[in-house]
Every structure is written in structure tokens, then in C-alpha cells.
């Protein structure tokens, strides 16, 4: 049997080659879970397993808060619009609050409770008799005497990305 130089070159290349590995564009597709955690049956859906920040966030947080504008200035009080529910006639600087964060598996629960001091004397003096549909207090109370209270809840779940995002 006579071998040509082309045949010898082909045999030399084949002899020095390795088997195609996972992900080779011409051969052998990878399992999706090899390169994408979303398809990995072993990857956890639990938020605490996905990112250590969730262990640190969970708990009951009590403190003094200040709501600031983008320029770092305490957000101003405003008349409460009784029709649309906008505005907050209480001080956004140095109010008390409690935030309760609970994480169960892939679910995130947050409950917020904020206690606001009465509006400033200046705000009450500038707004003694608001126009119809506006108020210098939320609900019943007297401007400058009674404070305000807000509570609200948030709920979220882990995404299918399995990377700690919600």
C-alpha cells in the first residue's frame, strides 16, 4: 500500500489530536447547566444561598431616618392632596421607623413602619387654611401638634436567574 504525503499529513494530525471537548462549535454540545446556572438542578432557589447580603439584611431594624433629595437636602413637607393621596405634611428629617425583613427560601418580605414628628411651625404658618381638597395634616389632627404614621409592605421573589436578583 502506497501512502501519499497528504495521507501521511492527515494521519499525523489525527494522531496528535484530542477528542472534541464540550462546547466545541463543530462538535459536542454542552449541557446548558454546564455554562448557565439557571438550568442547573443543583443550584439553589433560596436567596440566602445565592448572595450573602440576604443573611445580613434579614432582621428587625429600628432607627432614626431622614428622607433626602438627590442633592442631599431633607425632602420638604407638602400639603396632602385628599383626592389623589399625594403629599406629606410632616417632617422628613429625623423621623423614627422600624423595618422588618424576613427571607424564606426564594421569598422576600419587608414591613415598614414610620413615625413622623409634627409639621414645623413655619409650614403650619405658611399653610393655615389650605384650599379645598388639600390638608396640612393627614387624617384628623392639628398642624404642628400631631405627627403622622405610614406603614407599607413589600414582597418579592428570587428570579429564575439564580443569581440573587429579585
Amino acid at each position: 500500500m502506497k501512502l501519499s504525503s497528504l495521507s501521511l499529513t492527515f494521519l499525523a494530525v489525527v494522531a496528535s489530536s484530542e477528542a472534541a471537548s464540550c462546547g466545541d462549535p463543530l462538535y459536542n454540545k454542552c449541557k446548558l447547566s454546564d455554562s448557565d446556572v439557571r438550568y442547573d438542578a443543583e443550584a439553589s432557589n433560596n436567596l440566602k444561598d445565592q448572595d450573602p447580603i440576604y443573611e445580613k439584611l434579614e432582621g428587625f431594624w429600628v432607627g432614626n431616618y431622614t428622607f433626602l433629595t438627590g442633592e442631599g437636602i431633607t425632602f420638604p413637607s407638602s400639603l396632602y392632596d385628599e383626592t389623589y393621596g399625594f403629599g406629606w405634611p410632616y417632617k422628613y428629617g429625623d423621623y423614627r421607623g422600624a423595618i422588618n425583613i424576613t427571607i424564606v427560601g426564594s421569598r422576600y418580605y419587608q414591613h415598614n413602619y414610620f413615625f413622623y414628628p409634627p409639621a414645623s411651625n413655619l409650614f403650619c404658618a405658611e399653610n393655615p387654611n389650605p384650599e379645598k381638597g388639600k390638608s396640612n395634616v393627614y387624617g384628623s389632627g392639628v398642624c404642628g401638634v400631631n405627627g403622622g404614621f405610614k406603614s407599607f409592605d413589600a414582597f418579592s421573589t428570587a428570579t429564575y436567574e439564580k443569581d440573587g436578583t429579585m
Side-chain angles (χ1 to χ4, degrees), residues 62-166:
V62 177
N64 290 347
Y65 299 91
T66 298
F67 184 36
L68 302 173
T69 66
E71 293 78 34
I73 300 167
T74 301
F75 205 81
S77 301
S78 60
L79 290 174
Y80 179 72
D81 187 315
E82 296 168 353
T83 304
Y84 299 106
F86 295 113
W88 192 244
Y90 303 104
K91 295 178 184 177
Y92 278 112
D94 198 31
Y95 58 93
R96 297 284 293 163
I99 300 172
N100 185 21
I101 298 174
T102 305
I103 299 167
V104 179
S106 63
R107 295 170 308 283
Y108 174 97
Y109 304 94
Q110 182 174 329
H111 309 285
N112 303 303
Y113 311 96
F114 298 123
F115 304 88
Y116 295 86
S120 70
N121 290 334
L122 177 62
F123 177 81
C124 295
E126 291 174 347
N127 301 285
N129 299 306
E131 63 187 78
K132 186 176 180 177
K134 306 273 185 181
S135 179
N136 60 10
V137 294
Y138 176 76
S140 61
V142 177
C143 188
V145 175
N146 303 107
F149 173 77
K150 282 186 183 181
S151 68
F152 53 93
D153 300 319
F155 172 77
S156 190
T157 61
T159 66
Y160 290 110
E161 301 297 321
K162 297 182 181 178
D163 63 357
T165 57
M166 291 189 281

Side-chain angles (χ1 to χ4, degrees), residues 13-44:
V13 168
V14 169
S16 65
S17 297
E18 298 176 11
S21 62
C22 173
D24 183 299
L26 301 175
Y27 192 76
N28 234 0
K29 286 189 177 178
C30 291
K31 294 185 299 185
L32 284 173
S33 62
D34 290 342
S35 61
D36 193 335
V37 71
R38 294 177 296 176
Y39 300 100
D40 185 353
E42 302 297 317
S44 176

